[in-house]
Amino acid sequence: MNATNNNPIIAVKDLTIRFGGHAAVDQVSLEVMPFTLKSIIGPNGAGKTTFFNLLSGQYKPTGGKVFLKGKDITNLSAPMRCRLGLGRSFQLTNIFPLLTVLENVRLAIQARKGYGFNFWRHYLHFSACEDEAYQILKEVLLDEKWLYPANLLTHGEQRKLEMAILMALKPEILFLDEPTAGMSQEEVPAILEILERIKSMGDKTILLVEHKMDMIMNLSDSIAVLQDGRLIADSDPETIYRSKEVQEAYLGGGAKRE
Amino acid sequence: MLRREQRKKRYYSIGFVLPCLVLALFVLIPFLGPSYKTLDLALKIIIFASLVASFDIMLGYTGILSFGHGMFFGIGAYCVAFLNGKYGDPTYFHLFLGLLLAVAVACVLALIVSLISLRVKAIFFAMITLALAELTIVLANKLSHFTGGEDGISISLPGIFSAAFSPGSFLGLDISGRVITYYFILLACLGLFALMLRFTHSPLGRVLQAIRDNTDRAEALGYKTFYFQTLSIVLGCTVAAMTGGLYAMWVGYVNPESTLEVMAIMLNVLLMVIIGGMGTLYGGIVGAAFLLITQTFLPDLQKLAIDLFPNASLLHTILERWLLLFGILFILVVIFFPKGVVGSAREFIARARGEAFFSS
């Protein structure tokens, strides 16, 4: 890592959100360095997805701040953050089910290029968008199905389509919420390969929420562990793997709270 | 390249030829020497097809259910009526001004409606627009010194549009003010239809479909969905007001019951869009034709039955309740065309070609 990259690209300070009396995310502070892959793990209900929603702007925090490249973005809406380079995927498959596979990706490119408000030309005239969308579909091995409506794809293919949509946004920072959730064992390697490829390009920062510990150990540069909305560890994979606290959280977190 | 050619084929086949044939039919209808009733029916189909298409932009393309669409239709009708009846003279200038006023009022009102009620979702939006529509009816009835109340307003049209205008005949067709008005409205509706087609096939139109499919996802792509939804509502309502103005030109008379009533206008529009197919635009033509034709000719069936079978009194009784037959027809259409006539037909054609079907 060179000298210019010593500032964190994302910094979170005392981030808190309460739903009623329950603090789903409780005073979490962490930093993400540019061009690294950070995983966020934790048992069910630890607040991982809520934390993601706070970062991508789906939720507004009760307290605390989010910084992007040193700039306070706590009060920006989700579309605004997306334009600043934060792209996110969702834990539950989140695509446009009635549109074609190609159209799903094309809309993302259109959003990035800002053609959205053009209403006097036929959308097919923007062939550059289409070609680029097709290229991305090739990369995630979905090009054969470009004319299918997205809801006819298998679950694994839909997750791939999500990755394609995300790549089409060309975000600087990728938020991936359990990209392998609900996938069959055979489909997981394909997603891992895509992740590996994105990481090896070396120009993206990736934040990954994941449940499968073994999968992220090799991929991650650092791992943060959440439990009951609190950050209990944030370190390199090796340290996390050996940490007693983390093991307890994962294996006996429920029992320990008694 | 393969992709582009495949797409071209899709857009220049049946989907292109069939609308052209329909248009040709409507152009030729006055030449076929029809009765006034048929001409009136044809024109109402044209107007309602455009109205339904404008409703489809909101419901089928953006996923917004509004019960206030009839209100905009009525407002357009009243704008033309004010300037060519109660407060103006039958001049071309006033007619033009009336249509312009319809557009302007609809734009502003649609903007206000969106700003107020887009904050609430789905069924609540529908309820708010329904309340507004009812309020408008009450206003139109009660402010009788302004709107003419229940008596409504009669309209007189300028020069070549007036019924008295008669310059002679052309190819056996008696050119009259009515025929000229017919063609004028056909041309205007054609323009509106072209506008809506272009709108839905533009990048913006595609974003609307994305919002309909998955609003959260569209936001996460960076689209500010609120602005897009507002634009969709403004366009849909403005077109509705235009069709209302044209309708007023044709019938020459405006009152709350015939142009504003939720049951008379809104319910029909809803039925038409369901029969024709949501998210197809062309479905409006099919839906309007089906509904208006059955509503015009089903009542005549009883007369026909009395002539043909003078003794079958049970048959007469059933046919007297022609709405019952209409209900059965409607159920059959919904069962056999679950995506509306146009939607289901498109699906069928795509299946027959062995292509994966996509709805838009």
Side-chain angles (χ1 to χ4, degrees):
Chain A
M1 214 179 283
N2 58 44
T4 54
N5 289 335
N6 277 337
N7 296 322
I9 189 157
I10 286 185
V12 175
K13 269 223 165 67
D14 299 328
L15 202 61
T16 305
I17 187 167
R18 290 177 185 283
F19 298 113
H22 173 64
V25 171
D26 197 1
Q27 305 222 317
V28 171
S29 302
L30 59 77
E31 291 180 343
V32 185
M33 300 309 279
F35 312 132
T36 61
L37 193 152
K38 191 180 199 77
S39 294
I40 297 168
I41 61 171
N44 277 327
K48 303 186 295 286
T49 297
T50 312
F51 181 64
F52 251 39
N53 282 335
L54 287 169
L55 289 190
S56 64
Q58 252 80 9
Y59 292 159
K60 289 263 166 287
T62 323
K65 288 201 178 318
V66 182
F67 296 93
L68 174 70
K69 296 178 196 166
K71 197 177 149 232
D72 186 355
I73 59 164
T74 317
N75 291 320
L76 293 186
S77 66
M80 287 303 293
R81 293 187 196 194
C82 180
R83 281 178 201 188
L84 288 177
L86 287 105
R88 81 161 288 183
S89 81
F90 292 82
Q91 183 176 3
L92 301 170
T93 310
N94 213 338
I95 51 174
F96 303 114
L98 297 179
L99 302 179
T100 62
V101 169
L102 188 76
E103 193 61 18
N104 267 275
V105 183
R106 206 193 56 77
L107 275 163
I109 296 172
Q110 182 182 301
R112 190 187 80 224
K113 295 195 170 171
Y115 293 155
F117 277 113
N118 187 315
F119 61 87
W120 52 88
R121 288 191 76 185
H122 198 288
Y123 71 103
L124 290 181
H125 282 292
F126 299 92
S127 53
C129 278
E130 272 224 333
D131 293 342
E132 194 181 332
Y134 194 68
Q135 209 53 47
I136 293 172
L137 283 180
K138 263 189 180 159
E139 280 175 39
V140 298
L141 314 171
L142 269 179
D143 51 312
E144 301 237 310
K145 303 210 160 169
W146 67 274
L147 198 53
Y148 276 61
N151 60 359
L152 288 191
L153 298 181
T154 66
H155 182 73
E157 285 169 338
Q158 290 187 352
R159 304 295 317 207
K160 280 194 212 165
L161 177 57
E162 268 216 277
M163 296 292 288
I165 292 173
L166 208 55
M167 280 157 77
L169 286 172
K170 288 205 176 148
E172 269 182 85
I173 305 155
L174 287 159
F175 290 145
L176 303 175
D177 195 354
E178 296 205 36
T180 63
M183 274 192 167
S184 67
Q185 224 31 263
E186 303 86 70
E187 288 169 326
V188 171
I191 288 288
L192 285 184
E193 201 195 307
I194 294 169
L195 273 178
E196 202 86 62
R197 186 141 30 134
I198 296 172
K199 199 191 160 194
S200 68
M201 287 192 280
D203 58 350
K204 302 258 188 291
T205 309
I206 304 174
L207 237 79
L208 184 73
V209 160
E210 196 40 84
H211 224 75
K212 304 183 179 79
M213 272 272 244
D214 49 335
M215 168 183 153
I216 53 159
M217 281 301 161
N218 296 325
L219 270 175
S220 312
D221 297 309
S222 65
I223 296 178
V225 187
L226 284 181
Q227 188 196 5
D228 294 331
R230 264 184 293 270
L231 185 74
I232 59 169
D234 183 5
S235 186
D236 59 290
E238 194 68 6
T239 321
I240 294 290
Y241 193 64
R242 287 165 205 277
S243 156
K244 256 221 147 82
E245 222 182 348
V246 174
Q247 278 173 14
E248 257 172 29
Y250 244 75
L251 300 172
K256 211 185 111 197
R257 234 182 300 148
E258 298 295 307
Chain B
M1 288 309 107
L2 183 76
R3 284 179 297 123
R4 296 226 186 107
E5 262 158 42
Q6 213 165 337
R7 290 216 144 167
K8 258 189 192 149
K9 254 199 315 205
R10 184 177 287 279
Y11 284 99
Y12 294 97
S13 57
I14 300 173
F16 185 72
V17 175
L18 211 58
C20 287
L21 287 177
V22 172
L23 175 64
L25 178 72
F26 279 116
V27 171
L28 287 177
I29 275 181
F31 285 95
L32 304 175
S35 62
Y36 174 70
K37 193 176 168 184
T38 322
L39 194 68
D40 183 55
L41 178 65
L43 193 103
K44 279 182 180 157
I45 290 176
I46 295 169
I47 285 182
F48 272 90
S50 314
L51 178 63
V52 172
S54 73
F55 185 62
D56 198 18
I57 286 199
M58 293 164 61
L59 181 64
Y61 282 87
T62 325
I64 299 168
L65 175 59
S66 154
F67 282 117
H69 215 61
M71 170 179 79
F72 285 94
F73 180 81
I75 286 172
Y78 266 94
C79 283
V80 169
F82 282 148
L83 284 170
N84 288 278
K86 206 163 176 201
Y87 301 104
D89 310 303
T91 66
Y92 296 113
F93 176 69
H94 278 90
L95 181 64
F96 173 73
L97 212 62
L99 289 171
L100 202 68
L101 185 69
V103 168
V105 172
C107 257
V108 173
L109 197 65
L111 212 56
I112 294 171
V113 168
S114 333
L115 291 180
I116 295 172
S117 34
L118 260 184
R119 312 204 162 273
V120 294
K121 292 255 146 45
I123 195 72
F124 301 103
F125 182 82
M127 288 299 115
I128 289 183
T129 49
L130 179 63
L132 271 174
E134 292 289 350
L135 178 71
T136 323
I137 296 167
V138 172
L139 285 180
N141 273 322
K142 297 297 169 197
L143 296 174
S144 47
H145 54 281
F146 178 54
T147 62
E150 279 172 34
D151 297 335
I153 304 169
S154 293
I155 300 163
S156 30
L157 292 174
I160 58 168
F161 298 120
S162 69
F165 183 73
S166 172
S169 64
F170 171 72
L171 293 179
L173 168 69
D174 216 3
I175 306 281
S176 65
R178 296 305 284 174
V179 173
I180 292 175
T181 313
Y182 176 91
Y183 280 116
F184 174 78
I185 292 175
L186 178 62
L187 202 67
C189 285
L190 192 66
L192 290 176
F193 226 91
L195 174 79
M196 288 187 281
L197 276 176
R198 179 34 59 94
F199 182 78
T200 50
H201 284 153
S202 70
L204 193 146
R206 307 304 288 187
V207 177
L208 295 183
Q209 281 166 298
I211 292 172
R212 171 201 67 193
D213 266 22
N214 192 337
T215 311
D216 285 344
R217 216 327 157 205
E219 287 231 333
L221 285 187
Y223 292 116
K224 292 177 180 165
T225 52
F226 180 79
Y227 294 113
F228 285 93
Q229 285 168 322
T230 305
L231 262 172
S232 162
I233 292 173
V234 168
L235 182 89
C237 293
T238 310
V239 172
M242 277 292 281
T243 59
L246 296 170
Y247 181 79
M249 267 182 81
W250 179 253
V251 294
Y253 172 69
V254 166
N255 71 349
E257 202 191 328
S258 66
T259 58
L260 276 170
E261 200 66 65
V262 172
M263 291 304 276
I265 307 293
M266 203 51 239
L267 207 62
N268 277 347
V269 168
L270 207 56
L271 287 178
M272 287 172 189
V273 79
I274 291 169
I275 291 171
M278 279 189 249
T280 60
L281 280 197
Y282 291 119
I285 305 173
V286 179
F290 176 85
L291 214 73
L292 292 170
I293 288 174
T294 49
Q295 282 178 353
T296 312
F297 290 111
L298 275 184
D300 291 346
L301 270 184
Q302 192 197 7
K303 229 189 303 165
L304 190 72
I306 291 171
D307 289 345
L308 292 178
F309 310 102
N311 298 319
S313 59
L314 178 67
L315 187 67
H316 301 163
T317 323
I318 292 176
L319 290 179
E320 198 185 344
R321 308 277 180 270
W322 64 273
L323 268 174
L324 184 73
L325 286 183
F326 173 75
I328 294 171
L329 270 179
F330 179 69
I331 292 170
L332 287 179
V333 169
V334 173
I335 288 177
F336 289 108
F337 299 95
K339 289 180 175 166
V341 174
V342 174
S344 294
R346 278 186 184 169
E347 190 176 55
F348 178 77
I349 292 168
R351 287 251 168 84
R353 284 183 187 155
E355 290 168 7
F357 173 69
F358 76 105
S359 62
S360 35

